[in-house]
C-alpha cells in the first residue's frame, strides 16, 4: 500500500503564502497520480490540484492563478504552493495518491488564513 503524510500547514495572514508538502512511501512506483484536496467546516471535500505520473496538472478553476502543484520524484513528494491566501482558503488540506484504482489519503494538515 501507499502511506501519505502531509505537512506545512499553519496560520497565515491574508495575502500570505504557504507551501504544503506531501510525502509518499510504500508502493510508490505504481502511483499514477497525486493530488491535493481541501475541506472547510460544513462543506464537502473539493479538488484543489492534481498531478499525474506523466506530469499533467489540473486545478480547481478558481485556484489556478494562486496555487501551484509540483513534484520532486527523487523525494517521492508533491508540493502545493499557495500564494495570495484568502480567509476562504481556510480548510484542512488533504493529499492523496492513486494506485491500482485505489486512493490513499493522508490525515490532512490545517491551513488557517486570518488576520
Amino acid at each position: 500500500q501507499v502511506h501519505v503524510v502531509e505537512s506545512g500547514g499553519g496560520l497565515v495572514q491574508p495575502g500570505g503564502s504557504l507551501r504544503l508538502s506531501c510525502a509518499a512511501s510504500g508502493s510508490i512506483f505504481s502511483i499514477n497520480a497525486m493530488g491535493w484536496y481541501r475541506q472547510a467546516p460544513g462543506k464537502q471535500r473539493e479538488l484543489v490540484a492534481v498531478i499525474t505520473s506523466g506530469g499533467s496538472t489540473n486545478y480547481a478553476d478558481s485556484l489556478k492563478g494562486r496555487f501551484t502543484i509540483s513534484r520532486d520524484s527523487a523525494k517521492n513528494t508533491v508540493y502545493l504552493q499557495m500564494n495570495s491566501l484568502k480567509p476562504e482558503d481556510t480548510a484542512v488540506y488533504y493529499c492523496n495518491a492513486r494506485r491500482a484504482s485505489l486512493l490513499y489519503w493522508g490525515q490532512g494538515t490545517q491551513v488557517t488564513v486570518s488576520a
Side-chain angles (χ1 to χ4, degrees), residues 3 8-9 13 18 22 27-28 35 40 49-52 57-59 61 63 66 83 85 88 95-97 102 105 108:
H3 183 58
Q13 294 186 350
L18 283 174
C22 174
S27 301
I28 59 174
V50 172
I51 187 165
T52 71
T57 58
N58 290 312
Y59 295 88
D61 201 51
L63 302 178
R66 298 187 295 119
N83 298 323
L85 284 162
E88 54 262 42
C95 180
N96 74 12
L102 296 177
W105 291 92

Side-chain angles (χ1 to χ4, degrees), residues 5 15 19 22 27 30 36 43 57 61 66 70 77 79 87-88 92-93 97 103 105:
V5 179
R19 189 181 73 161
C22 174
S27 301
S30 58
W36 287 98
K43 295 185 177 180
T57 58
D61 201 51
R66 298 187 295 119
S70 61
T77 300
Y79 304 95
E88 54 262 42
V92 178
Y93 284 71
L103 297 177
W105 291 92

Side-chain angles (χ1 to χ4, degrees), residues 1-2 4 9 20 23 29 43-44 82 95 100 104 110 115:
Q1 65 174 15
V2 178
V4 177
L20 307 183
F29 294 112
K43 295 185 177 180
Q44 190 173 356
M82 305 185 293
C95 180
Y104 299 86
Q110 176 71 47

Side-chain angles (χ1 to χ4, degrees), residues 4-106:
V4 177
V5 179
E6 306 97 332
S7 63
L11 176 65
V12 64
Q13 294 186 350
S17 298
L18 283 174
R19 189 181 73 161
L20 307 183
S21 299
C22 174
S25 61
S27 301
I28 59 174
F29 294 112
S30 58
I31 295 172
N32 55 52
M34 295 184 68
W36 287 98
Y37 296 73
R38 69 184 184 183
Q39 188 167 21
K43 295 185 177 180
Q44 190 173 356
R45 188 173 300 186
E46 64 177 353
L47 170 72
V48 174
V50 172
I51 187 165
T52 71
S53 60
S56 298
T57 58
N58 290 312
Y59 295 88
D61 201 51
S62 62
L63 302 178
K64 185 174 177 60
R66 298 187 295 119
F67 289 13
T68 303
I69 189 169
S70 61
R71 65 182 180 183
D72 185 338
S73 297
K75 297 182 179 180
N76 304 315
T77 300
V78 297
Y79 304 95
L80 184 69
Q81 179 66 46
M82 305 185 293
N83 298 323
S84 302
L85 284 162
K86 305 173 181 178
E88 54 262 42
D89 295 319
T90 296
V92 178
Y93 284 71
Y94 297 91
C95 180
N96 74 12
R98 186 180 183 91
R99 177 186 181 273
S101 300
L102 296 177
L103 297 177
Y104 299 86
W105 291 92

